[in-house]
Amino acid sequence: MMKDIMRRSKLGLPALGLWSVVLLAGCSSDAGKNETGGVQAAPHPETVQAPDTTKAPVDSAKTATVAPKADSSAATAPAATKFVVRDEAAQKPGAILPHKRIIAYYGNPLSKRMGVLGEYAPSKMLSKLDEEVKAWNAADPNTPAQPALHVIVVTAQGSPGKGGKYRLRMSDHVADSVISWAARRNAIVFLDIQIGQSTVQEEIPRLEKWLKLPQVHLGIDPEFAMKNGAIPGRRVGTLDAAEINYATSFLNEMAVKYNLPPKILVIHRFTQRMVTNYKNIQLRPNVQFVMHMDGWGDRVLKKSTYNDYIKKEFVQYTGFKLFYHNDTKKPGWKLYSPEGILALNPKPLYIQYQ
């Protein structure tokens, strides 16, 4: 039976004066983790500075634990299986999906270890993104690649902080900077939130100043949506359809209020429990929904996770995450090629690189 892939467990460092020592939460791209029974132990945190007085956030590294099966470099799926996407928003002016495939760089500019978005200087990072966009356009010329930057703007924390919510809100400068970088490539932007012990109702409305822009969209990481007093990093969190429905309703209202093209919501997932009651997720006329396979490991493990938690609980559009470091960290492990991912069924239309 397929096992859940990946669990993250890294606690941060204490705050220093008016500046927190921050290691941004998300999947660590560090290649030097220790192995413990198939689950990846977390590396020592790297420190960066962010304007806040809370403690540093939790980091994590989602690791595949399923036993390998015989597999080739390309994912395969039964040709007879067909997925019908219901999407009223698709025919509206400015709709991105399914007309384009989103190719996103993920992370935060304050950390070099939380993703490629912060690992390189902006100009080099954008040049690398250009290369991926070019590769995807060559692999699937019929679905143009849409570049994107996916930035974490609320990070989970290992301690309660001054708000007692186990989450750290980035300064406005972080979102503003990434939006300005994206403009250089006509890229779209995703603002990602890890709510800790807060709620989507508390965290999403404060992003309206950016979400009212036509090129800005939303991501939510259920791994850090903690229930019943749980601490981020000690267990994998969970998000229910009711919470997701609040997010899609908010985005739908934003599109109507500001006369915007359809908004996109990306939900990360790498275990069964990370999303509950998926059949109750409500599709909106001005929102496009992506369930995103967010986990690292060898290709066979990633394919199994995609099939078990994304394909079997299909909602609307699907996503697939690639880790430059962690997907290649063991002998024989290779990064999925665009051609390999295109062999998946359904074909992901949101691709994220970390």
Side-chain angles (χ1 to χ4, degrees), residues 22-41:
V22 175
L23 176 61
L24 295 169
C27 305
S28 173
S29 60
D30 182 82
K33 297 185 188 299
N34 298 320
E35 302 296 332
T36 309
V39 178
Q40 304 299 322

Side-chain angles (χ1 to χ4, degrees), residues 14-280:
L16 298 179
L18 295 177
W19 293 84
S20 282
V21 180
V22 175
L23 176 61
L24 295 169
C27 305
S28 173
S29 60
D30 182 82
K33 297 185 188 299
N34 298 320
E35 302 296 332
T36 309
V39 178
Q40 304 299 322
H44 295 295
E46 172 185 341
T47 61
V48 297
Q49 291 184 330
D52 194 89
T53 57
T54 62
K55 293 188 178 180
V58 175
D59 179 33
S60 58
K62 310 161 182 168
T63 308
T65 58
V66 63
K69 308 171 187 176
D71 194 28
S72 64
S73 60
T76 58
T81 304
K82 185 174 182 180
F83 291 84
V84 178
V85 175
R86 296 182 295 113
D87 183 11
E88 183 179 343
Q91 300 308 315
K92 296 192 173 184
I96 295 173
L97 304 173
H99 317 293
K100 297 181 180 181
R101 176 173 286 105
I102 299 166
I103 309 300
Y105 266 9
Y106 171 91
N108 188 289
L110 300 180
S111 173
K112 293 183 178 181
R113 293 175 64 181
M114 289 297 97
V116 67
L117 191 147
E119 187 174 352
Y120 302 98
S123 58
K124 185 174 182 179
M125 178 270 296
L126 292 172
S127 294
K128 288 178 66 66
L129 179 58
D130 290 342
E131 294 173 5
E132 297 296 356
V133 167
K134 182 178 179 180
W136 278 96
N137 280 329
D140 184 8
N142 295 322
T143 310
Q146 168 63 59
L149 300 181
H150 194 125
V151 56
I152 312 163
V153 294
V154 180
T155 68
Q157 303 284 296
S159 58
K162 65 179 181 181
K165 298 296 179 69
Y166 290 86
R167 57 94 172 95
L168 168 67
R169 293 170 172 173
M170 297 289 101
S171 70
D172 289 0
H173 179 70
V174 170
D176 291 339
S177 295
V178 173
I179 290 171
S180 69
W181 299 344
R184 302 182 195 176
R185 294 300 192 276
N186 196 28
I188 61 175
V189 173
F190 289 85
L191 305 182
D192 203 87
I193 61 174
Q194 302 169 348
I195 63 177
Q197 291 184 11
S198 184
T199 64
V200 292
Q201 291 87 348
E202 184 176 351
E203 299 304 321
I204 293 176
R206 63 177 293 272
L207 304 179
E208 180 170 349
K209 63 183 291 185
W210 297 292
L211 290 173
K212 70 181 182 181
L213 301 174
Q215 77 275 29
V216 178
H217 306 272
L218 181 65
I220 307 176
D221 195 342
E223 181 183 1
F224 297 111
M226 313 315 296
K227 304 296 190 294
N228 302 317
I231 307 302
R234 299 185 184 179
R235 66 178 64 178
V236 176
T238 181
L239 206 65
D240 188 71
E243 296 169 283
I244 293 172
N245 289 340
Y246 170 83
T248 58
S249 177
F250 185 91
L251 292 175
N252 191 75
E253 291 174 3
M254 291 287 295
V256 173
K257 179 179 179 181
Y258 295 106
N259 192 28
L260 301 174
K263 289 292 182 182
I264 301 170
L265 174 63
V266 173
I267 300 293
H268 304 267
R269 190 178 196 185
F270 64 93
T271 73
Q272 184 80 28
R273 182 167 158 68
M274 280 177 70
V275 176
T276 55
N277 299 309
Y278 83 97
K279 291 183 179 179
N280 294 335

Side-chain angles (χ1 to χ4, degrees), residues 299-316:
R299 288 164 295 177
V300 63
L301 309 183
K302 296 171 74 79
K303 175 186 172 183
S304 296
T305 299
Y306 181 82
N307 287 339
D308 280 6
Y309 306 132
I310 308 300
K311 178 178 180 177
K312 286 183 180 178
E313 299 196 354
F314 181 77
V315 180
Q316 193 176 54

